[in-house]
Amino acid sequence: EVAVRESGGGSVQAGGSLRLSCVASGHTDSSYCMGWYRQPPGKEREFVSSIARDGSTVYGDSVKGRFTISRRAGENTAYLQMNNLRPEDTAMYYCAAVFDTYCVNLDIDYTDFGHWGQGTQVTVSS
């Protein structure tokens, strides 16, 4: 059974940084394509970033240049380094994983990810 678990959320002031971590268990190799989504209060889920097994990445326009996704080589562990945070980045952040699929595509839909974490809250104050 696959389990996805996020960690690293918290509260920061605008301009600060946070690093989120995500582990997808169930396979011992780097067989998952992994992504991050976020959902602000009262709004729809929004794509943040994704990273493939080969390290290729894609970002949503609202975070490009401020957030960096990475993964540990050979493992299903991904990170989201968030710099220069803004109040509008406040949201529940979810890690998602999909097995043996290339997910580095801005046209990907969140339903394409088969496995989700419970979310970690990020709050940015002005």
Side-chain angles (χ1 to χ4, degrees):
E1 182 177 345
V2 179
V4 178
R5 186 172 66 252
E6 311 97 335
S7 61
S11 298
V12 295
Q13 290 190 325
S17 299
L18 282 173
R19 187 191 194 210
L20 306 183
S21 299
C22 174
V23 178
S25 62
H27 287 267
T28 56
D29 57 10
S30 59
S31 50
Y32 287 100
C33 196
M34 303 181 73
W36 290 94
Y37 283 77
R38 66 186 183 185
Q39 187 164 18
K43 296 185 178 180
E44 294 185 351
R45 193 175 328 206
E46 176 189 17
F47 174 78
V48 175
S49 183
S50 61
I51 184 166
R53 296 175 62 179
D54 63 3
S56 56
T57 61
V58 67
Y59 296 91
D61 287 341
S62 61
V63 305
K64 202 175 296 183
R66 299 186 299 122
F67 290 11
T68 302
I69 192 171
S70 61
R71 68 185 298 160
R72 188 174 295 178
E75 298 182 16
N76 296 309
T77 301
Y79 306 96
L80 186 69
Q81 177 66 42
M82 305 184 294
N83 297 329
N84 192 21
L85 283 160
R86 305 166 179 167
E88 54 264 40
D89 294 318
T90 295
M92 185 70 78
Y93 282 70
Y94 296 94
C95 181
V98 56
F99 179 71
D100 198 26
T101 299
Y102 191 74
C103 68
V104 180
N105 180 351
L106 285 175
D107 292 329
I108 195 166
D109 188 79
Y110 77 91
T111 59
D112 293 323
F113 287 89
H115 309 287
W116 291 84
Q118 294 297 307
T120 185
Q121 178 68 37
V122 172
T123 303
V124 185
S125 59
S126 57

